[in-house]
Amino acid sequence: MEDSQRKHAGSKGFRALENRKQDIAYNHYLNSFVKLEDRRYLPNDNVIHQLVPLRAAVGTIVMTPTQFNEVHFSPLGTCFYFSENNVPNDPLTMALLEREKLNATKTISTIVFVSTRDSKGFNISGYIDLEHSLRRYKTAGSKSHPWADIFAGRRRLEPNHQDLSFINWSNGRVHSNDSDNYKVIPDAVKGLCFAHKGDGSMLSIEKYITEEHPLCKFIESPKHGYTVVYDHYIRRKM
C-alpha cells in the first residue's frame, strides 16, 4: 500500500514538473513576440502575454498552449524533424523539408499534389495536407504516409484514399476527406477548392494554376513523379 502511494505521489510530482517546464517554455515563446515598448507601457507579463495574439503582425499565427505542446512536447520529442536529418537530394523532398517547420508552427499550410504510379503500376493522383499527414505519422505511425522512409529515399510518396482527394485512374474511383486543416469543397465553376479551417480562406486549385500563383510550385521529381506544392500563408483572425 505504501509503495503504491509513493509511486502515485512520484507520478504526480513528475507530471507537475513536466507541466511547469511546458509553462516556462510557452512563456519564453510568447516573449519572442514582445517588443520593448510593450514592457514600457503594460504593467506585467500576464497582461502582455494575453495581448500577444491580438498584437501579432498580420499573417503571424500565435500558437495556443495546446498547439505549442503538440509541436514541442510530443512523445517523440522536440527534435523530431526530418529537416534535421541527412536526406537524399530530391527536388520534392527538399521542397517539403523547407516547409516542415513552417507547417508545424502554423505559419503556412501546404497542400501537395502528386501524380504517380502505385506499387501495382496503376496511375493514381491526389492532394495531401502536409501538416496533417506529418503529424499523423509522428503520433500514429502506420496510419499515415511512411514519412521516415520517404525522406530517407526508401519509399515514394503515394497519395491514398485517406488524403484530401484521391483518384485511381484505372477504375475511376474518387475519394475525398476533410483534414484537420481543410474542408474539401467541389465547385462546378471554380473546380476543386479547399477551405482552410483556421482562417476561412478558400484555395481554388484552378486559380492557383491558371494565374501562375507565386505560392504554387511545380516540381518534377525523378523518384516521386509529377508534383505540385501549394502554400497558403495563414492569416491571423482580427
Side-chain angles (χ1 to χ4, degrees), residues 83-167:
S83 51
E84 295 172 350
N85 301 324
N86 293 323
V87 298
N89 188 23
D90 175 83
L92 178 62
T93 302
M94 300 306 295
L96 298 184
L97 288 180
E98 293 174 359
R99 291 160 172 79
E100 183 183 15
K101 290 186 179 180
L102 293 174
N103 275 264
T105 56
K106 303 292 185 179
T107 302
I108 68 172
S109 179
T110 300
I111 294 175
V112 184
F113 171 79
V114 180
S115 179
T116 186
R117 292 178 181 270
D118 64 13
S119 57
K120 298 180 180 179
F122 295 123
N123 290 325
I124 57 174
S125 61
Y127 293 87
I128 301 169
D129 180 344
L130 179 62
E131 188 277 333
H132 176 86
S133 183
L134 285 171
R135 178 160 40 82
R136 279 176 58 86
Y137 174 76
K138 293 174 183 179
T139 57
S142 61
K143 293 184 179 181
S144 182
H145 298 286
W147 286 106
D149 288 335
I150 291 170
F151 279 110
R154 294 187 293 266
R155 297 278 295 275
R156 292 186 304 157
L157 177 59
E158 297 180 6
N160 59 50
H161 65 275
Q162 295 181 337
D163 289 318
L164 286 170
S165 180
F166 171 76
I167 181 168

Side-chain angles (χ1 to χ4, degrees), residues 38-58:
D38 295 333
R39 298 197 178 280
R40 289 175 178 170
Y41 300 108
L42 296 173
N44 55 57
D45 283 350
N46 287 335
V47 175
I48 293 174
H49 289 169
Q50 290 175 18
L51 293 177
V52 163
L54 302 176
R55 294 166 60 87
V58 175

Side-chain angles (χ1 to χ4, degrees), residues 8 11 47 102 104 106 113 123 166 182 204 212 215 223 237:
H8 180 66
S11 177
V47 175
L102 293 174
K106 303 292 185 179
F113 171 79
N123 290 325
F166 171 76
Y182 290 100
S204 171
E212 297 184 354
L215 299 180
K223 188 174 187 66
K237 287 189 175 182

Side-chain angles (χ1 to χ4, degrees), residues 4 7 10 28 30 32 59 66 76 86 90 102 119 126 129-130 132 137 166 170 180 186 195-196 213-214:
S4 177
K7 288 181 181 179
H28 284 311
L30 292 179
S32 69
T66 299
L76 295 173
N86 293 323
D90 175 83
L102 293 174
S119 57
D129 180 344
L130 179 62
H132 176 86
Y137 174 76
F166 171 76
S170 65
D180 289 350
H196 190 269
H213 201 288

